[in-house]
CSV table of all heavy atoms in Angstrom, one decimal:
chain,number,residue,atom,x,y,z
A,151,ARG,N,-15.4,17.8,-17.9
A,151,ARG,CA,-14.0,18.3,-18.1
A,151,ARG,C,-13.0,17.1,-18.0
A,151,ARG,O,-12.1,17.1,-18.8
A,151,ARG,CB,-13.7,19.3,-16.9
A,151,ARG,CG,-12.3,19.9,-17.0
A,151,ARG,CD,-12.3,20.8,-18.3
A,151,ARG,NE,-11.0,21.4,-18.4
A,151,ARG,CZ,-9.9,20.8,-19.0
A,151,ARG,NH1,-10.1,19.6,-19.5
A,151,ARG,NH2,-8.8,21.4,-19.1
A,152,LEU,N,-13.3,16.2,-17.2
A,152,LEU,CA,-12.3,15.0,-17.1
A,152,LEU,C,-12.4,14.1,-18.3
A,152,LEU,O,-11.5,13.5,-18.7
A,152,LEU,CB,-12.6,14.2,-15.8
A,152,LEU,CG,-12.2,14.9,-14.5
A,152,LEU,CD1,-12.6,14.0,-13.3
A,152,LEU,CD2,-10.7,15.2,-14.5
A,153,GLU,N,-13.6,14.1,-18.9
A,153,GLU,CA,-13.8,13.3,-20.2
A,153,GLU,C,-12.9,13.9,-21.3
A,153,GLU,O,-12.4,13.2,-22.1
A,153,GLU,CB,-15.2,13.2,-20.5
A,153,GLU,CG,-16.0,12.2,-19.7
A,153,GLU,CD,-17.5,12.2,-20.0
A,153,GLU,OE1,-18.0,13.2,-20.6
A,153,GLU,OE2,-18.2,11.3,-19.6
A,154,GLN,N,-12.8,15.3,-21.3
A,154,GLN,CA,-12.0,15.9,-22.2
A,154,GLN,C,-10.5,15.5,-22.0
A,154,GLN,O,-9.8,15.3,-23.0
A,154,GLN,CB,-12.1,17.4,-22.1
A,154,GLN,CG,-13.5,17.9,-22.5
A,154,GLN,CD,-13.7,19.4,-22.2
A,154,GLN,OE1,-12.8,20.1,-21.8
A,154,GLN,NE2,-14.9,20.0,-22.5
A,155,GLU,N,-10.1,15.5,-20.7
A,155,GLU,CA,-8.7,15.1,-20.4
A,155,GLU,C,-8.5,13.6,-20.8
A,155,GLU,O,-7.5,13.2,-21.3
A,155,GLU,CB,-8.5,15.2,-18.9
A,155,GLU,CG,-8.2,16.7,-18.5
A,155,GLU,CD,-7.0,17.3,-19.2
A,155,GLU,OE1,-6.0,16.7,-19.3
A,155,GLU,OE2,-7.2,18.4,-19.7
A,156,ALA,N,-9.5,12.8,-20.6
A,156,ALA,CA,-9.4,11.3,-21.0
A,156,ALA,C,-9.2,11.2,-22.5
A,156,ALA,O,-8.5,10.3,-23.0
A,156,ALA,CB,-10.7,10.6,-20.6
A,157,ALA,N,-9.9,12.1,-23.3
A,157,ALA,CA,-9.7,12.0,-24.7
A,157,ALA,C,-8.3,12.5,-25.1
A,157,ALA,O,-7.7,12.0,-26.1
A,157,ALA,CB,-10.8,12.9,-25.4
A,158,ARG,N,-7.8,13.5,-24.4
A,158,ARG,CA,-6.5,14.0,-24.7
A,158,ARG,C,-5.3,13.1,-24.2
A,158,ARG,O,-4.3,13.0,-24.9
A,158,ARG,CB,-6.3,15.4,-24.0
A,158,ARG,CG,-5.1,16.2,-24.5
A,158,ARG,CD,-5.0,17.5,-23.7
A,158,ARG,NE,-4.6,17.3,-22.3
A,158,ARG,CZ,-3.4,17.2,-21.9
A,158,ARG,NH1,-2.4,17.1,-22.8
A,158,ARG,NH2,-3.1,17.0,-20.7
A,159,GLN,N,-5.5,12.5,-23.1
A,159,GLN,CA,-4.5,11.6,-22.5
A,159,GLN,C,-5.1,10.3,-22.1
A,159,GLN,O,-5.2,10.0,-20.9
A,159,GLN,CB,-3.7,12.3,-21.4
A,159,GLN,CG,-4.6,13.0,-20.4
A,159,GLN,CD,-3.8,13.6,-19.3
A,159,GLN,OE1,-2.9,13.0,-18.7
A,159,GLN,NE2,-4.1,14.8,-18.8
A,160,PRO,N,-5.5,9.4,-23.1
A,160,PRO,CA,-6.2,8.2,-22.7
A,160,PRO,C,-5.3,7.2,-22.0
A,160,PRO,O,-5.8,6.2,-21.4
A,160,PRO,CB,-6.6,7.7,-24.1
A,160,PRO,CG,-5.7,8.3,-25.1
A,160,PRO,CD,-5.3,9.6,-24.5
A,161,ASP,N,-4.0,7.3,-22.0
A,161,ASP,CA,-3.1,6.4,-21.4
A,161,ASP,C,-2.7,6.8,-20.0
A,161,ASP,O,-1.8,6.1,-19.4
A,161,ASP,CB,-1.9,6.1,-22.3
A,161,ASP,CG,-2.3,5.5,-23.6
A,161,ASP,OD1,-3.3,4.8,-23.6
A,161,ASP,OD2,-1.5,5.7,-24.6
A,162,ASN,N,-3.3,7.8,-19.5
A,162,ASN,CA,-3.0,8.3,-18.1
A,162,ASN,C,-3.9,7.6,-17.1
A,162,ASN,O,-5.1,7.9,-17.1
A,162,ASN,CB,-3.1,9.8,-18.0
A,162,ASN,CG,-2.6,10.3,-16.6
A,162,ASN,OD1,-2.3,9.5,-15.7
A,162,ASN,ND2,-2.5,11.6,-16.5
A,163,PRO,N,-3.4,6.6,-16.3
A,163,PRO,CA,-4.3,5.9,-15.4
A,163,PRO,C,-5.0,6.8,-14.4
A,163,PRO,O,-6.1,6.5,-13.9
A,163,PRO,CB,-3.4,4.9,-14.7
A,163,PRO,CG,-2.0,5.4,-14.9
A,163,PRO,CD,-2.0,6.2,-16.2
A,164,ASN,N,-4.3,7.9,-14.0
A,164,ASN,CA,-4.9,8.8,-13.0
A,164,ASN,C,-6.2,9.5,-13.5
A,164,ASN,O,-7.1,9.8,-12.7
A,164,ASN,CB,-3.9,9.9,-12.6
A,164,ASN,CG,-2.7,9.3,-11.8
A,164,ASN,OD1,-2.9,8.5,-11.0
A,164,ASN,ND2,-1.5,9.8,-12.1
Side-chain angles (χ1 to χ4, degrees):
R151 183 66 182 84
L152 291 177
E153 285 175 341
Q154 294 173 1
E155 284 300 313
R158 192 182 70 83
Q159 41 176 320
D161 295 331
N162 184 353
N164 290 320

